[in-house]
Amino acid sequence: MQEILSKFDAQGARVATVLSVIHYTTDEERQKYINDGYIPISGEDYQHYIGNRGVGDNGTGYIRDTKTGKPVSAPPAPPVDEEPQEPPVDAERLAVYEAMAAQAERLAAQAERIAALEVALKTKGCDRK
């Protein structure tokens, strides 16, 4: 049977796993992993850490208990801040929309002036076509 060596972070989460015959074959190679913080775990414990035994009591998986060395339910995930009710304003897009609105106002005013000039020309007898 293959030996399983796993490395855990300070909170007990599994960060890496190596297997005998696949990752190491000699005692010297194995010792390098042990010196790097890897510890032997059972196949059943490994199944918990990789999620094959469910997601634990809090839905966040399993971590290694530092006292017993066995898998325990990981703590609940931290609460997520609610999204703001109003979407954030993108200053660049707002500036572009404001410039477009100002340009539309200028074009509308220019169209009114042109229409007024055409009316004035028609009343003076100059029909421009």
Side-chain angles (χ1 to χ4, degrees):
M1 181 171 180
Q2 288 184 316
E3 179 183 43
I4 302 170
L5 300 178
S6 285
K7 189 174 186 177
F8 298 87
D9 66 14
Q11 290 74 39
R14 182 182 66 88
V15 294
T17 298
V18 294
L19 302 171
S20 62
V21 182
I22 295 174
H23 298 99
Y24 62 91
T25 56
T26 66
D27 287 338
E28 293 80 23
E29 292 172 330
R30 179 185 185 274
Q31 191 59 45
K32 287 180 186 178
Y33 285 110
I34 298 295
N35 293 345
D36 193 30
Y38 286 77
I39 57 169
I41 63 170
S42 71
E44 182 60 27
D45 288 354
Y46 179 70
Q47 295 302 314
H48 277 85
Y49 297 131
I50 65 170
N52 286 345
R53 299 295 183 260
V55 292
D57 296 336
N58 300 307
T60 53
Y62 291 90
I63 60 173
R64 183 174 186 270
D65 185 313
T66 56
K67 294 177 184 168
T68 65
K70 296 309 243 174
V72 294
S73 292
V80 177
D81 294 335
E82 287 189 30
E83 292 291 322
Q85 297 300 334
E86 294 182 24
V89 176
D90 180 347
E92 286 184 39
R93 287 185 181 176
L94 180 59
V96 168
Y97 289 128
E98 288 174 346
M100 289 170 54
Q103 179 66 17
E105 288 178 23
R106 285 190 295 274
L107 290 173
Q110 186 69 18
E112 289 175 10
R113 282 194 292 274
I114 290 171
L117 287 172
E118 287 177 346
V119 169
L121 285 173
K122 283 184 184 177
T123 58
K124 290 187 177 186
C126 299
D127 192 12
R128 184 181 130 185
K129 286 194 178 189

